[in-house]
Amino acid sequence: MRELRWTRGNNVEKREIYNIVIQNLPIGFSILDKDGIIVDFNAAAAEITGYSRDEVIGKPHFEILHGASDRDACPVLKHALSRKERAVAAETSIRKKDGEHAVLSVTTFPLIDDNGDLSGAVEVFRDISAAKRLERERKNILSMFAHDMKNPITTAGGYLSRLLSGKAGALTEKQTGHLETIREEIYKVSDLLADFLEFSRIEAKAYVLNPRPFDMEMALRRNVEAAKIEAEKKDIAVLFQASGEIPCTIVADPAMIGRAIANLLDNAIAYTDPGGTIRARLSGNASDILVEITDTGRGIPEDRLPYIFDAFYRVSRDSKGSGLGLFIVKTVVEAHGGRIGVASSPGKGSTFSFILPKADSTGITMK
Ligand code: ADP
Protein backbone atom coordinates (compact mmCIF):
# COMPACT_ATOMS: atom_id res chain seq x y z
CA MET A 1 0.00 0.00 0.00
CA ARG A 2 1.63 3.18 -1.25
CA GLU A 3 0.35 5.54 1.44
CA LEU A 4 1.94 3.43 4.18
CA ARG A 5 5.33 3.22 2.52
CA TRP A 6 6.85 6.18 4.27
CA THR A 7 6.16 4.78 7.73
CA ARG A 8 8.09 1.67 6.80
CA GLY A 9 10.55 3.50 4.60
CA ASN A 10 14.25 3.74 5.25
CA ASN A 11 15.98 6.65 6.94
CA VAL A 12 17.01 8.24 3.65
CA GLU A 13 13.36 8.47 2.64
CA LYS A 14 12.33 9.87 5.99
CA ARG A 15 15.09 12.48 5.80
CA GLU A 16 13.83 13.51 2.34
CA ILE A 17 10.25 13.83 3.55
CA TYR A 18 11.44 15.85 6.55
CA ASN A 19 13.37 18.22 4.27
CA ILE A 20 10.44 18.69 1.88
CA VAL A 21 8.06 19.45 4.74
CA ILE A 22 10.40 21.79 6.61
CA GLN A 23 11.58 23.65 3.51
CA ASN A 24 8.01 24.21 2.31
CA LEU A 25 6.50 25.23 5.61
CA PRO A 26 4.89 28.66 5.23
CA ILE A 27 6.34 29.70 8.62
CA GLY A 28 9.92 30.25 9.75
CA PHE A 29 11.55 27.19 11.28
CA SER A 30 14.97 26.79 12.83
CA ILE A 31 16.72 24.23 15.02
CA LEU A 32 19.28 25.41 17.55
CA ASP A 33 21.77 23.34 19.50
CA LYS A 34 22.17 23.75 23.24
CA ASP A 35 24.45 26.78 22.73
CA GLY A 36 21.96 28.52 20.48
CA ILE A 37 23.90 27.66 17.29
CA ILE A 38 21.64 27.35 14.23
CA VAL A 39 21.66 23.83 12.81
CA ASP A 40 18.63 24.08 10.54
CA PHE A 41 16.88 27.03 8.91
CA ASN A 42 14.06 26.75 6.36
CA ALA A 43 13.17 28.87 3.30
CA ALA A 44 10.48 30.87 5.15
CA ALA A 45 13.00 31.69 7.91
CA ALA A 46 15.40 32.96 5.23
CA GLU A 47 12.63 35.06 3.67
CA ILE A 48 11.66 36.57 7.05
CA THR A 49 15.21 37.39 8.19
CA GLY A 50 16.86 38.13 4.84
CA TYR A 51 19.70 35.66 5.65
CA SER A 52 20.20 32.62 3.44
CA ARG A 53 20.44 29.17 5.00
CA ASP A 54 24.19 28.98 4.20
CA GLU A 55 24.80 32.31 5.90
CA VAL A 56 23.31 31.23 9.22
CA ILE A 57 24.07 27.52 9.65
CA GLY A 58 26.73 27.18 12.38
CA LYS A 59 26.25 30.75 13.62
CA PRO A 60 24.82 31.73 17.02
CA HIS A 61 21.18 32.56 16.42
CA PHE A 62 21.28 35.48 18.88
CA GLU A 63 24.06 37.06 16.77
CA ILE A 64 22.04 36.67 13.57
CA LEU A 65 18.66 37.61 14.89
CA HIS A 66 19.50 39.98 17.74
CA GLY A 67 22.78 41.58 16.74
CA ALA A 68 24.31 40.49 20.08
CA SER A 69 26.81 37.87 21.17
CA ASP A 70 24.96 36.97 24.33
CA ARG A 71 22.40 34.17 24.46
CA ASP A 72 20.45 36.27 27.00
CA ALA A 73 19.72 38.61 24.09
CA CYS A 74 17.04 36.15 23.00
CA PRO A 75 14.38 36.45 25.69
CA VAL A 76 12.28 33.63 24.28
CA LEU A 77 15.07 31.08 24.21
CA LYS A 78 16.33 32.20 27.61
CA HIS A 79 12.88 31.74 29.06
CA ALA A 80 12.41 28.37 27.39
CA LEU A 81 15.82 27.11 28.46
CA SER A 82 15.57 28.26 32.05
CA ARG A 83 12.08 26.90 32.63
CA LYS A 84 12.49 23.79 30.47
CA GLU A 85 8.85 24.02 29.40
CA ARG A 86 7.44 22.10 26.47
CA ALA A 87 6.76 25.26 24.51
CA VAL A 88 7.03 28.97 25.11
CA ALA A 89 5.31 31.47 22.86
CA ALA A 90 6.29 35.12 22.81
CA GLU A 91 6.72 38.16 20.64
CA THR A 92 10.26 39.30 20.03
CA SER A 93 11.96 41.99 18.02
CA ILE A 94 14.75 41.01 15.61
CA ARG A 95 17.12 42.82 13.28
CA LYS A 96 16.99 41.57 9.71
CA LYS A 97 19.98 41.39 7.36
CA ASP A 98 19.04 44.73 5.79
CA GLY A 99 19.14 46.34 9.25
CA GLU A 100 15.36 46.74 9.50
CA HIS A 101 13.61 45.55 12.62
CA ALA A 102 10.79 43.02 12.52
CA VAL A 103 8.40 41.80 15.19
CA LEU A 104 8.15 38.03 15.30
CA SER A 105 5.71 35.77 16.99
CA VAL A 106 7.96 32.91 18.10
CA THR A 107 7.18 29.56 19.67
CA THR A 108 10.20 27.81 21.13
CA PHE A 109 10.23 24.09 21.89
CA PRO A 110 13.21 23.09 24.07
CA LEU A 111 14.66 19.66 23.20
CA ILE A 112 15.37 17.66 26.36
CA ASP A 113 17.44 14.46 26.13
CA ASP A 114 16.89 11.20 28.06
CA ASN A 115 18.96 12.48 31.00
CA GLY A 116 16.72 15.49 31.31
CA ASP A 117 19.41 17.79 29.90
CA LEU A 118 18.80 20.39 27.30
CA SER A 119 20.09 19.42 23.88
CA GLY A 120 18.75 22.35 21.87
CA ALA A 121 15.54 23.95 20.73
CA VAL A 122 13.18 24.21 17.79
CA GLU A 123 11.84 27.65 16.94
CA VAL A 124 8.89 28.36 14.68
CA PHE A 125 8.14 31.98 13.89
CA ARG A 126 6.01 34.38 11.87
CA ASP A 127 6.67 37.99 10.93
CA ILE A 128 3.84 40.00 12.50
CA SER A 129 5.36 43.47 11.86
CA ALA A 130 2.67 44.49 9.35
CA ALA A 131 -0.17 43.46 11.66
CA LYS A 132 1.50 45.31 14.55
CA ARG A 133 1.90 48.46 12.48
CA LEU A 134 -1.74 48.35 11.39
CA GLU A 135 -2.79 47.86 15.00
CA ARG A 136 -0.71 50.89 16.09
CA GLU A 137 -2.13 53.02 13.30
CA ARG A 138 -5.67 51.96 14.14
CA LYS A 139 -5.17 52.95 17.78
CA ASN A 140 -3.65 56.28 16.75
CA ILE A 141 -6.59 57.03 14.47
CA LEU A 142 -9.04 56.12 17.21
CA SER A 143 -7.49 58.31 19.86
CA MET A 144 -6.89 61.20 17.47
CA PHE A 145 -10.48 61.05 16.24
CA ALA A 146 -11.92 60.79 19.73
CA HIS A 147 -9.93 63.66 21.19
CA ASP A 148 -9.99 66.07 18.28
CA MET A 149 -13.73 65.72 17.71
CA LYS A 150 -14.63 66.47 21.29
CA ASN A 151 -13.56 70.13 21.44
CA PRO A 152 -15.41 71.40 18.34
CA ILE A 153 -18.60 69.64 19.44
CA THR A 154 -18.41 71.14 22.92
CA THR A 155 -17.72 74.62 21.51
CA ALA A 156 -20.54 74.36 18.95
CA GLY A 157 -22.93 73.17 21.69
CA GLY A 158 -21.95 76.15 23.88
CA TYR A 159 -22.60 78.71 21.12
CA LEU A 160 -25.92 77.06 20.26
CA SER A 161 -27.08 77.29 23.86
CA ARG A 162 -26.12 80.95 23.91
CA LEU A 163 -28.06 81.62 20.70
CA LEU A 164 -31.09 79.74 22.03
CA SER A 165 -31.02 81.61 25.32
CA GLY A 166 -31.54 84.85 23.38
CA LYS A 167 -28.36 86.40 24.83
CA ALA A 168 -27.05 87.04 21.32
CA GLY A 169 -30.29 88.68 20.17
CA ALA A 170 -33.95 87.78 19.77
CA LEU A 171 -34.81 84.81 17.52
CA THR A 172 -37.90 84.15 15.47
CA GLU A 173 -39.90 81.03 16.24
CA LYS A 174 -38.64 79.44 13.02
CA GLN A 175 -35.01 80.19 13.84
CA THR A 176 -35.46 78.74 17.36
CA GLY A 177 -37.01 75.59 15.86
CA HIS A 178 -34.11 75.11 13.46
CA LEU A 179 -31.52 75.69 16.17
CA GLU A 180 -33.25 73.20 18.46
CA THR A 181 -33.07 70.60 15.71
CA ILE A 182 -29.35 71.32 15.32
CA ARG A 183 -28.92 70.96 19.08
CA GLU A 184 -30.67 67.54 19.05
CA GLU A 185 -28.32 66.36 16.31
CA ILE A 186 -25.29 67.68 18.21
CA TYR A 187 -26.43 65.73 21.27
CA LYS A 188 -26.48 62.57 19.17
CA VAL A 189 -22.95 63.17 17.89
CA SER A 190 -21.87 63.98 21.42
CA ASP A 191 -23.30 60.65 22.70
CA LEU A 192 -21.55 58.74 19.93
CA LEU A 193 -18.34 60.52 20.83
CA ALA A 194 -18.70 59.70 24.53
CA ASP A 195 -18.99 55.98 23.60
CA PHE A 196 -16.06 56.33 21.27
CA LEU A 197 -13.86 58.01 23.89
CA GLU A 198 -14.71 55.25 26.35
CA PHE A 199 -13.82 52.67 23.74
CA SER A 200 -10.50 54.32 22.92
CA ARG A 201 -9.63 54.51 26.65
CA ILE A 202 -10.42 50.79 27.01
CA GLU A 203 -8.33 50.06 23.89
CA ALA A 204 -5.42 52.10 25.24
CA LYS A 205 -5.73 50.18 28.52
CA ALA A 206 -5.99 53.58 30.19
CA TYR A 207 -8.87 52.44 32.34
CA VAL A 208 -8.37 51.63 35.98
CA LEU A 209 -11.34 50.67 38.12
CA ASN A 210 -12.18 52.77 41.13
CA PRO A 211 -13.78 50.12 43.36
CA ARG A 212 -15.69 50.78 46.57
CA PRO A 213 -18.64 49.23 48.46
CA PHE A 214 -21.57 49.46 46.13
CA ASP A 215 -25.28 48.79 46.69
CA MET A 216 -26.57 47.17 43.51
CA GLU A 217 -30.23 47.42 44.51
CA MET A 218 -30.00 51.17 45.04
CA ALA A 219 -28.10 51.65 41.79
CA LEU A 220 -30.63 49.62 39.81
CA ARG A 221 -33.58 51.49 41.34
CA ARG A 222 -31.93 54.81 40.49
CA ASN A 223 -31.25 53.74 36.90
CA VAL A 224 -34.79 52.42 36.48
CA GLU A 225 -36.23 55.74 37.68
CA ALA A 226 -34.02 57.64 35.22
CA ALA A 227 -34.96 55.27 32.37
CA LYS A 228 -38.70 55.84 33.03
CA ILE A 229 -38.41 59.41 31.77
CA GLU A 230 -37.28 58.30 28.29
CA ALA A 231 -39.51 55.20 28.32
CA GLU A 232 -42.66 57.24 29.04
CA LYS A 233 -42.11 59.20 25.84
CA LYS A 234 -42.56 55.87 23.99
CA ASP A 235 -45.34 54.63 26.29
CA ILE A 236 -43.08 51.84 27.60
CA ALA A 237 -43.41 50.64 31.22
CA VAL A 238 -40.24 50.04 33.24
CA LEU A 239 -40.61 47.78 36.29
CA PHE A 240 -38.18 46.79 39.01
CA GLN A 241 -38.20 43.56 40.97
CA ALA A 242 -35.74 42.28 43.60
CA SER A 243 -35.60 38.79 45.08
CA GLY A 244 -33.16 36.35 46.69
CA GLU A 245 -30.48 37.21 49.20
CA ILE A 246 -30.72 40.97 49.40
CA PRO A 247 -28.91 43.29 50.31
CA CYS A 248 -26.65 42.98 47.33
CA THR A 249 -23.65 44.99 48.36
CA ILE A 250 -20.52 44.26 46.38
CA VAL A 251 -17.20 45.95 45.78
CA ALA A 252 -17.39 47.65 42.39
CA ASP A 253 -16.74 50.84 40.49
CA PRO A 254 -20.09 52.69 40.86
CA ALA A 255 -19.67 54.88 37.78
CA MET A 256 -18.75 51.96 35.53
CA ILE A 257 -21.50 49.63 36.75
CA GLY A 258 -23.98 52.51 36.51
CA ARG A 259 -22.87 53.04 32.93
CA ALA A 260 -23.35 49.34 32.12
CA ILE A 261 -26.88 49.26 33.57
CA ALA A 262 -27.80 52.51 31.80
CA ASN A 263 -26.55 51.11 28.47
CA LEU A 264 -28.71 47.97 28.85
CA LEU A 265 -31.79 49.99 29.81
CA ASP A 266 -31.19 52.49 26.96
CA ASN A 267 -31.02 49.60 24.49
CA ALA A 268 -34.16 47.98 25.89
CA ILE A 269 -36.01 51.27 25.37
CA ALA A 270 -34.49 51.91 21.94
CA TYR A 271 -35.34 48.45 20.56
CA THR A 272 -38.84 48.08 22.06
CA ASP A 273 -41.97 49.39 20.33
CA PRO A 274 -44.48 51.69 22.09
CA GLY A 275 -46.71 49.83 24.54
CA GLY A 276 -43.94 47.39 25.54
CA THR A 277 -42.60 46.52 28.97
CA ILE A 278 -39.10 46.43 30.41
CA ARG A 279 -38.33 44.52 33.60
CA ALA A 280 -35.17 44.96 35.66
CA ARG A 281 -34.67 42.05 38.07
CA LEU A 282 -32.13 41.67 40.82
CA SER A 283 -31.47 38.41 42.63
CA GLY A 284 -28.59 37.00 44.57
CA ASN A 285 -27.21 34.07 46.48
CA ALA A 286 -24.32 33.72 48.89
CA SER A 287 -21.64 34.19 46.27
CA ASP A 288 -23.08 36.09 43.28
CA ILE A 289 -25.60 38.67 42.25
CA LEU A 290 -27.61 38.46 39.06
CA VAL A 291 -29.02 41.44 37.15
CA GLU A 292 -31.50 40.80 34.30
CA ILE A 293 -32.98 43.37 31.94
CA THR A 294 -35.86 41.89 29.96
CA ASP A 295 -37.76 43.68 27.22
CA THR A 296 -40.67 42.88 24.92
CA GLY A 297 -38.86 44.40 21.94
CA ARG A 298 -37.85 43.30 18.46
CA GLY A 299 -35.35 40.69 19.67
CA ILE A 300 -32.14 39.60 17.99
CA PRO A 301 -31.85 36.85 15.34
CA GLU A 302 -29.99 33.80 16.65
CA ASP A 303 -27.23 34.00 14.04
CA ARG A 304 -26.38 37.54 15.20
CA LEU A 305 -26.11 36.74 18.91
CA PRO A 306 -22.43 35.62 18.83
CA TYR A 307 -21.37 39.07 17.58
CA ILE A 308 -23.62 41.25 19.68
CA PHE A 309 -20.89 42.22 22.20
CA ASP A 310 -18.28 43.07 19.52
CA ALA A 311 -17.20 46.70 19.25
CA PHE A 312 -19.06 48.62 16.51
CA TYR A 313 -21.42 45.69 15.81
CA ARG A 314 -25.02 46.60 15.01
CA VAL A 315 -27.70 44.15 13.96
CA SER A 316 -29.25 46.54 11.52
CA ARG A 317 -27.78 49.54 9.77
CA ASP A 318 -30.71 51.73 10.76
CA SER A 319 -29.61 51.59 14.41
CA LYS A 320 -28.79 55.11 15.57
CA GLY A 321 -26.19 53.94 18.06
CA SER A 322 -22.47 53.43 17.74
CA GLY A 323 -22.49 49.67 18.28
CA LEU A 324 -20.22 50.25 21.28
CA GLY A 325 -22.78 50.11 24.11
CA LEU A 326 -22.74 46.33 24.63
CA PHE A 327 -18.98 46.12 24.15
CA ILE A 328 -18.59 48.62 27.01
CA VAL A 329 -21.06 46.65 29.18
CA LYS A 330 -19.14 43.41 28.58
CA THR A 331 -15.78 45.05 29.31
CA VAL A 332 -17.10 46.56 32.55
CA VAL A 333 -18.69 43.30 33.73
CA GLU A 334 -15.62 41.21 32.94
CA ALA A 335 -13.30 43.73 34.57
CA HIS A 336 -15.30 43.09 37.76
CA GLY A 337 -14.78 39.33 37.45
CA GLY A 338 -18.33 38.82 36.15
CA ARG A 339 -20.04 37.28 33.12
CA ILE A 340 -22.57 38.66 30.68
CA GLY A 341 -25.22 36.77 28.74
CA VAL A 342 -28.12 37.29 26.36
CA ALA A 343 -31.20 35.30 25.38
CA SER A 344 -33.53 36.53 22.69
CA SER A 345 -36.55 35.57 20.58
CA PRO A 346 -36.98 37.66 17.44
CA GLY A 347 -40.25 39.55 17.56
CA LYS A 348 -40.81 38.73 21.24
CA GLY A 349 -38.00 40.30 23.20
CA SER A 350 -34.59 39.91 24.79
CA THR A 351 -33.04 39.37 28.20
CA PHE A 352 -29.58 40.71 28.88
CA SER A 353 -28.13 39.50 32.15
CA PHE A 354 -24.91 39.74 34.08
CA ILE A 355 -23.53 37.96 37.11
CA LEU A 356 -21.08 39.66 39.45
CA PRO A 357 -19.22 37.93 42.28
CA LYS A 358 -19.89 39.29 45.75
CA ALA A 359 -16.24 38.79 46.67
CA ASP A 360 -13.97 41.64 45.63
CA SER A 361 -12.41 40.67 42.34
CA THR A 362 -11.65 44.19 41.21
CA GLY A 363 -8.27 45.79 41.18
CA ILE A 364 -8.15 44.41 37.66
CA THR A 365 -7.18 46.95 35.05
CA MET A 366 -9.59 46.97 32.14
CA LYS A 367 -8.27 45.39 29.02
P1 ADP B 1 -26.00 50.49 19.74
O1 ADP B 1 -25.32 51.75 20.13
O2 ADP B 1 -26.11 50.31 18.26
O3 ADP B 1 -27.27 50.24 20.47
P2 ADP B 1 -24.97 48.28 21.24
O4 ADP B 1 -23.59 47.72 21.31
O5 ADP B 1 -25.57 48.75 22.51
O6 ADP B 1 -24.93 49.39 20.15
O7 ADP B 1 -25.90 47.16 20.62
C1 ADP B 1 -25.46 46.51 19.45
C2 ADP B 1 -26.66 46.07 18.62
O8 ADP B 1 -27.37 45.06 19.33
C3 ADP B 1 -27.68 47.16 18.40
O9 ADP B 1 -27.36 47.92 17.25
C4 ADP B 1 -28.96 46.38 18.22
O10 ADP B 1 -29.07 45.96 16.89
C5 ADP B 1 -28.75 45.16 19.10
N1 ADP B 1 -29.42 45.27 20.42
C6 ADP B 1 -28.87 45.68 21.57
N2 ADP B 1 -29.75 45.61 22.58
C7 ADP B 1 -30.89 45.15 22.06
C8 ADP B 1 -32.20 44.84 22.58
N3 ADP B 1 -32.48 45.02 23.88
N4 ADP B 1 -33.13 44.37 21.73
C9 ADP B 1 -32.85 44.17 20.41
N5 ADP B 1 -31.65 44.44 19.85
C10 ADP B 1 -30.68 44.91 20.66
Side-chain angles (χ1 to χ4, degrees):
M1 281 177 49
R2 247 193 101 69
E3 60 273 25
L4 285 179
R5 256 194 70 184
W6 74 274
T7 56
R8 290 201 236 115
N10 61 31
N11 284 338
V12 177
E13 254 182 344
K14 281 186 184 164
R15 180 92 216 145
E16 243 173 61
I17 291 169
Y18 166 88
N19 280 340
I20 291 170
V21 171
I22 296 301
Q23 281 309 317
N24 290 289
L25 274 182
I27 53 170
F29 171 92
S30 67
I31 300 182
L32 319 171
D33 71 9
K34 66 178 187 331
D35 299 316
I37 303 293
I38 299 172
V39 293
D40 205 352
F41 202 71
N42 75 349
E47 167 118 23
I48 291 170
T49 61
Y51 289 102
S52 71
R53 181 184 157 84
D54 290 346
E55 281 175 307
V56 299
I57 295 291
K59 303 257 173 62
H61 99 291
F62 22 87
E63 207 172 295
I64 300 293
L65 297 177
H66 302 275
S69 56
D70 179 3
R71 79 149 59 169
D72 287 354
C74 173
V76 184
L77 185 59
K78 189 183 159 205
H79 187 69
L81 296 190
S82 64
R83 309 232 340 234
K84 292 190 182 170
E85 285 172 354
R86 248 203 63 62
V88 177
E91 282 177 16
T92 182
S93 175
I94 64 147
R95 205 167 68 204
K96 301 197 287 188
K97 188 179 177 184
D98 62 9
E100 295 255 323
H101 280 89
V103 184
L104 303 189
S105 164
V106 188
T107 307
T108 302
F109 302 84
L111 302 172
I112 312 287
D113 66 19
D114 291 344
N115 300 326
D117 295 329
L118 197 94
S119 61
V122 170
E123 288 197 317
V124 289
F125 48 95
R126 279 180 308 120
D127 186 347
I128 54 167
S129 312
K132 285 272 156 192
R133 192 177 55 248
L134 267 179
E135 178 71 10
R136 265 198 318 276
E137 286 171 1
R138 192 179 66 87
K139 282 189 182 165
N140 288 346
I141 292 171
L142 281 182
S143 72
M144 183 205 73
F145 180 80
H147 288 102
D148 294 359
M149 286 285 284
K150 195 173 169 232
N151 287 344
I153 294 289
T154 311
T155 309
Y159 275 102
L160 262 183
S161 296
R162 197 177 296 180
L163 281 177
L164 280 166
S165 72
K167 281 185 191 145
L171 297 172
T172 65
E173 205 171 308
K174 200 168 179 179
Q175 285 167 336
T176 304
H178 288 347
L179 288 177
E180 276 169 351
T181 307
I182 295 173
R183 187 164 61 180
E184 284 296 307
E185 295 303 308
I186 283 199
Y187 280 158
K188 281 183 203 156
V189 178
S190 176
D191 284 349
L192 283 176
L193 217 58
D195 278 355
F196 203 80
L197 269 170
E198 198 108 350
F199 172 74
S200 93
R201 273 200 292 267
I202 291 170
E203 278 273 282
K205 298 190 169 62
Y207 235 127
V208 182
L209 292 182
N210 193 4
R212 63 187 78 156
F214 171 74
D215 183 339
M216 182 61 91
E217 186 177 354
M218 224 162 79
L220 255 181
R221 280 190 194 282
R222 204 178 307 127
N223 273 284
V224 164
E225 287 311 309
K228 278 181 182 167
I229 300 167
E230 274 308 302
E232 264 164 23
K233 292 184 194 163
K234 280 181 78 177
D235 188 27
I236 293 171
V238 190
L239 310 171
F240 175 75
Q241 193 185 326
S243 63
E245 274 192 31
I246 311 279
C248 287
T249 302
I250 56 169
V251 175
D253 183 322
M256 299 312 297
I257 297 286
R259 176 77 193 261
I261 298 169
N263 280 1
L264 292 179
L265 287 169
D266 284 353
N267 279 350
I269 297 168
Y271 302 111
T272 298
D273 286 336
T277 306
I278 294 165
R279 287 192 171 76
R281 287 198 196 88
L282 173 65
S283 53
N285 58 29
S287 56
D288 300 304
I289 59 175
L290 169 68
V291 175
E292 293 166 290
I293 311 285
T294 301
D295 63 55
T296 56
R298 64 167 76 152
I300 301 158
E302 200 180 334
D303 61 338
R304 305 302 182 92
L305 285 178
Y307 314 107
I308 204 84
F309 297 106
D310 291 356
F312 301 108
Y313 186 81
R314 297 180 305 183
V315 172
S316 108
R317 296 220 165 259
D318 61 12
S319 156
K320 293 188 177 62
S322 59
L324 288 171
L326 289 177
F327 168 79
I328 291 169
V329 178
K330 183 174 190 275
T331 308
V332 168
V333 168
E334 289 180 353
H336 284 81
R339 274 178 294 125
I340 185 147
V342 57
S344 190
S345 315
K348 291 193 179 150
S350 313
T351 297
F352 283 85
S353 58
F354 62 85
I355 292 177
L356 291 177
K358 281 188 173 172
D360 179 10
S361 55
T362 55
I364 306 159
T365 307
M366 282 202 187
K367 283 189 285 197

